[in-house]
Amino acid sequence: MIIDNLQEKLQRIKEHQLAMKDFGYFAREVLGFTKNEDLKMLDLTPDHDELCEFINKRTNQLILMPRGTFKSWLVTVGVTLWEMVKDPNIRILIYSDSATKATGFLVGIKSHIEGMAPNSKFAEWYPGWGSDAKSGKWNENEIIISKRDYDVIEPTVDTGGIESTKVGKHYDLIIFDDFVSDQNVTTKAEMDKVHDCYKKALSLLMPKG
């Protein structure tokens, strides 16, 4: 019995190590992004496998995929959770064309942490990552996970839109999702605002971010 328990613990350690190393494994085994007819979820396709490999080599990347190809769930939600697992002290900013849309991505992230996402095992693999009573930051705009042990002003995950101001803050990872849309490219003034916001956002990024 002792041997069985030891073997089980060693197997779990190997699985956790693989999840931190391989985003595709993390997406399938932890987040549950696999085929489930009852939940109407689609299995990751070979194109998604290629995207996961691309993400494994993350530096500064541009990902362009059509609507309905699962990119926001896989990249914005999935990568955010994956980076948090690898470094609980990470500071992530999710930017979109509107703050409302950005907070929608945060809802998806929180659903995995809180064990509410269908087919997800995140809360089982990483229990107790929810609201940190010390920080009091667990709302629709930002969250701080309980596993953080480094005191900084930025939350674990922050959100913002083109109109948001983040001056004075610093982030290790910035994700732009649907930052350019049909709502902000109809005039030169709108396009200039998008360009200026992007340039200012880069100044918030840490040197190795």
Side-chain angles (χ1 to χ4, degrees):
M1 185 67 177
I2 295 177
I3 294 177
D4 290 341
N5 287 337
L6 178 59
Q7 290 177 340
E8 183 178 336
K9 288 180 180 179
L10 290 175
Q11 179 62 30
R12 180 54 63 91
I13 290 173
K14 290 180 180 179
E15 291 172 351
H16 275 71
Q17 290 175 336
L18 181 57
M20 287 192 289
K21 180 181 179 181
D22 186 342
F23 177 67
Y25 180 86
F26 178 82
R28 283 188 168 88
E29 300 300 323
V30 181
L31 302 184
F33 292 161
T34 53
K35 189 173 183 179
N36 187 312
E37 297 295 342
D38 293 334
L39 298 173
K40 306 300 181 182
M41 299 179 71
L42 298 178
D43 195 7
L44 299 186
T45 67
D47 289 334
H48 291 121
D49 292 336
E50 186 176 345
L51 174 58
C52 289
E53 283 300 315
F54 182 65
I55 292 171
N56 282 336
K57 304 171 183 177
R58 180 179 69 81
T59 50
N60 294 317
Q61 300 175 333
L62 172 63
I63 297 171
L64 296 175
M65 297 177 71
R67 289 182 179 275
T69 51
F70 202 52
K71 62 184 183 299
S72 290
W73 275 102
L74 187 60
V75 180
T76 305
V77 174
V79 169
T80 296
L81 290 163
W82 188 50
E83 294 294 344
M84 288 164 50
V85 165
K86 294 191 293 180
D87 179 11
N89 290 317
I90 196 170
R91 298 163 295 179
I92 301 173
L93 172 61
I94 298 176
Y95 248 133
S96 193
D97 61 338
S98 70
T100 300
K101 187 180 292 184
T103 59
F105 298 133
L106 184 57
V107 170
I109 293 166
K110 289 163 65 177
S111 70
H112 284 274
I113 298 174
E114 296 171 342
M116 302 298 290
N119 221 31
S120 175
K121 295 181 179 179
F122 188 94
E124 177 184 333
W125 281 54
Y126 310 100
W129 277 47
S131 179
D132 183 357
K134 293 181 296 183
S135 70
K137 290 185 178 179
W138 192 268
N139 54 56
E140 64 178 8
N141 301 312
E142 59 184 9
I143 62 171
I144 293 180
I145 59 173
S146 61
K147 293 300 179 180
R148 171 182 279 189
D149 58 13
Y150 184 64
D151 189 19
V152 290
I153 64 172
E154 298 84 3
T156 304
V157 184
D158 201 358
T159 59
I162 292 176
E163 303 294 338
S164 304
T165 300
K166 301 294 179 180
V167 176
K169 292 187 176 182
H170 301 87
Y171 302 93
D172 304 296
L173 171 63
I174 298 178
I175 298 176
F176 296 92
D177 192 316
D178 290 337
F179 190 63
V180 178
S181 70
D182 57 355
Q183 301 298 316
N184 57 32
V185 294
T186 56
T187 67
K188 184 179 184 303
E190 290 173 342
M191 288 186 284
D192 286 343
K193 184 181 294 185
V194 173
H195 185 252
D196 290 343
C197 185
Y198 177 77
K199 288 199 303 182
K200 291 177 180 177
L202 294 183
S203 68
L204 306 176
L205 192 63
M206 296 296 290
K208 294 184 179 180

